[in-house]
């Protein structure tokens, strides 16, 4: 199936837009829709979708980029581990350039630290197997989409009897932050475009408590332009009719029950906990921590280091951008002090960050 043509047909897009306009034509006020997936953020910017929508639909980006929502003290902890002798840091590429309080992993690499980019947590396990005289730390950052792979890596390291493989975890979960943002009077979110990758694991039924408790519209949608437009149309119809529910536009990937096998692996190694989100703060049951029986692989427990006190850049507005309260253009550092070459905040670093999308594709 060729998704690049079937889901990017301009004539079908025009029909979707006309259906959206008709749906909201008599709607009083502005309806606020939020997407909470970094890949949706990039798709919306790339295809200029926001500019195509009627004026009474406000489409904003929320906390969907895993690197962006990771608090600065986690970066400082990774930097401290990188400075530790006889240590190899393994990480996905996005984390390398995220600024900490006084340094970044890229700067530490330039100073001599051993930092390797990997494409899978199992790559980090393989590095540990080949370097048993050194401690190998994998930086575990992400949502339910990637956490099962981290759990699988820990189980693999256990089976291989590795004593030198560790994970510094900062795993987050949905939909708890979506519930936290509903209560913000400055946002007044009417509907969510739910994260598609995450939904493939947790399933569409995972959003039922959110919708039932807060009476907010919710649609799981794919990443192509027609996917997003159809998701917006389905949300608009729910809001206009006043009948809020969970709808699944992305049925070709997401199922009501999600992926039980992936969740079994995940919860074998991790358990729910409160987590701190950049810009939002502590949210109960929005994180995952390693179970005590796997403490031998927990970098926090096994590799104690002194971590500097966290200090955010005073002018960085990443926190407000992640909450959807301002756009990147509202930040005084955007395009002046903060650029992809010299990022001040994580939102400018990650390939899924709102500031990176705005910088790459321009005002939409």
């Amino acid at each position: 199936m060729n998704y690049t043509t079937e889901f990017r047909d301009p004539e079908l897009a025009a029909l979707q837009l006309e259906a959206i306009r008709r749906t909201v034509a008599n709607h009083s006020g502005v309806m606020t829709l939020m997407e909470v997936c970094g890949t949706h953020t990039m798709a919306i910017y790339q295809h200029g979708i926001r500019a195509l929508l009627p004026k009474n639909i406000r489409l904003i980006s929320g906390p969907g980029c895993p690197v962006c929502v990771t608090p600065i003290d986690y970066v400082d902890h990774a930097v401290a581990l990188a400075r530790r002798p006889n240590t190899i840091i393994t990480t996905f590429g996005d984390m390398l350039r995220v600024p900490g309080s006084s340094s970044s992993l890229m700067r530490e690499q330039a100073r001599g630290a051993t930092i390797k980019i990997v494409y899978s947590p199992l790559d980090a396990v393989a590095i540990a197997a080949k370097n048993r005289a050194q401690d190998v730390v994998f930086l575990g950052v992400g949502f339910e989409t990637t956490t099962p792979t981290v759990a699988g890596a820990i189980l693999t390291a256990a089976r291989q009897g590795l004593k030198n493989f560790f994970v510094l975890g900062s795993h987050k979960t949905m939909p708890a932050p979506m519930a936290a943002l509903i209560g913000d009077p400055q946002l007044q979110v009417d509907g969510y475009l739910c994260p598609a990758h995450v939904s493939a694991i947790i399933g569409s039924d995972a959003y039922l408590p959110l919708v039932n408790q807060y009476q907010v519209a919710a649609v799981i949608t794919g990443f192509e332009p027609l996917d997003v437009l159809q998701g917006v149309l389905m949300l608009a119809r729910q809001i206009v009719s006043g009948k809020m529910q969970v709808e699944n536009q992305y049925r070709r990937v997401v199922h009501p029950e999600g992926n039980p096998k992936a969740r079994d692996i995940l919860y074998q190694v991790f358990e729910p906990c409160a987590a701190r989100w950049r810009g939002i703060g502590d949210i109960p049951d929005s994180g995952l921590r390693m179970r005590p029986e796997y403490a031998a692989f927990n970098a926090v427990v096994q590799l104690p280091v002194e971590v500097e006190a966290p200090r955010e850049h005073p002018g960085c507005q990443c926190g407000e951008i992640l909450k959807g309260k301002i756009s990147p253009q509202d930040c005084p550092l955007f395009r002046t002090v903060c650029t992809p070459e010299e990022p001040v905040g994580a939102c400018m670093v990650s390939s899924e960050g709102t500031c990176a999308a705005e910088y790459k594709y321009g005002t939409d």
Side-chain angles (χ1 to χ4, degrees):
M1 184 176 292
N2 190 348
Y3 290 110
T4 58
T5 56
E6 292 177 354
F7 289 84
R8 297 184 180 184
D9 187 316
E11 293 184 3
L12 292 178
L15 292 174
Q16 294 275 26
L17 285 165
E18 180 56 30
I20 293 170
R21 292 190 189 97
R22 287 199 306 269
T23 300
V24 302
N26 297 318
H27 180 73
S28 60
V30 175
M31 64 174 66
T32 298
L33 312 181
M34 174 179 277
E35 46 84 5
V36 282
C37 172
T39 310
H40 279 148
T41 300
M42 294 302 290
I44 289 167
Y45 272 97
Q46 180 181 2
H47 299 290
I49 290 174
R50 194 170 282 122
L52 300 174
L53 298 176
K55 298 297 183 185
N56 57 346
I57 293 182
R58 176 173 169 248
L59 182 57
I60 58 177
S61 299
C65 163
V67 170
C68 303
V69 301
T70 300
I72 197 169
D73 56 343
Y74 177 89
V75 181
D76 294 338
H77 199 149
V79 166
L81 287 169
R83 292 170 177 169
R84 187 175 176 272
N86 209 34
T87 301
I88 299 173
I89 301 294
T90 57
T91 178
F92 297 138
D94 278 4
M95 284 299 297
L96 197 64
R97 298 172 59 245
V98 177
S101 295
S102 63
S103 185
S104 67
L105 291 173
M106 179 170 280
R107 288 182 180 177
E108 295 306 314
Q109 189 177 44
R111 292 167 180 162
T114 303
I115 300 171
K116 295 181 181 295
I117 304 298
V118 296
Y119 296 96
S120 161
L122 286 176
D123 292 343
V125 175
I127 291 171
K130 293 178 181 177
N131 299 273
R132 293 181 183 249
Q134 294 179 280
D135 294 327
V136 176
V137 180
F138 176 72
L139 303 184
V141 172
F143 294 111
E144 292 97 329
T145 316
T146 53
T147 309
T149 66
V150 179
I154 291 171
L155 294 173
T156 299
R159 284 195 298 271
Q160 295 181 4
L162 294 178
K163 306 295 184 185
N164 64 325
F165 175 74
F166 308 95
V167 173
L168 181 65
S170 182
H171 302 287
K172 305 287 195 299
T173 62
M174 293 285 177
M178 299 161 70
L181 291 177
I182 288 177
D184 192 321
Q186 293 183 4
L187 289 177
Q188 297 184 340
V189 176
D190 298 298
Y192 279 114
L193 286 174
C194 300
H197 291 140
V198 166
S199 300
I201 304 299
I202 67 176
S204 56
D205 286 351
Y207 302 97
L208 290 173
L210 175 80
V211 172
N212 292 336
Q213 181 174 354
Y214 297 101
Q215 285 301 293
V216 64
V219 172
I220 300 159
T221 189
F223 301 109
E224 292 298 328
L226 292 184
D227 286 323
V228 176
L229 288 174
Q230 188 174 9
V232 170
L233 175 60
M234 294 164 77
L235 284 175
R237 285 173 171 167
Q238 285 190 42
I239 295 165
V240 169
S241 68
K243 298 177 180 177
M244 310 307 181
Q245 58 184 312
V246 180
E247 291 187 284
N248 184 8
Q249 183 275 341
Y250 202 35
R251 290 192 297 274
R252 62 186 187 273
V253 173
V254 175
H255 306 288
E257 73 281 7
N259 187 329
K261 186 174 183 179
R263 292 201 304 277
D264 286 346
I265 294 172
L266 189 162
Y267 288 109
Q268 182 179 346
V269 176
F270 294 96
E271 61 185 4
C273 67
R276 178 159 298 175
W277 296 60
R278 187 191 294 261
I280 301 176
D282 295 339
I283 304 176
D285 295 326
S286 68
L288 294 164
R289 64 187 176 199
M290 226 174 290
R291 293 184 182 276
E293 51 265 44
Y294 293 97
F297 301 98
N298 190 334
V300 176
V301 175
Q302 302 299 332
L303 306 176
V305 288
E306 185 172 347
V307 181
E308 66 182 300
R311 291 178 287 109
E312 296 275 5
H313 189 290
C316 180
Q317 299 293 309
C318 269
E320 296 301 291
I321 291 169
L322 286 168
K323 288 185 286 190
K325 292 189 174 182
I326 66 172
S327 73
Q329 296 283 1
D330 298 322
C331 176
L333 306 184
F334 183 74
R335 287 188 186 275
T336 55
V337 177
C338 185
T339 65
E341 292 75 23
E342 293 290 338
V344 173
C347 298
M348 184 60 89
V349 177
S350 173
S351 60
E352 296 186 335
T354 305
C355 296
E358 174 79 26
Y359 191 95
K360 185 173 183 178
Y361 296 111
T363 301
D364 53 351

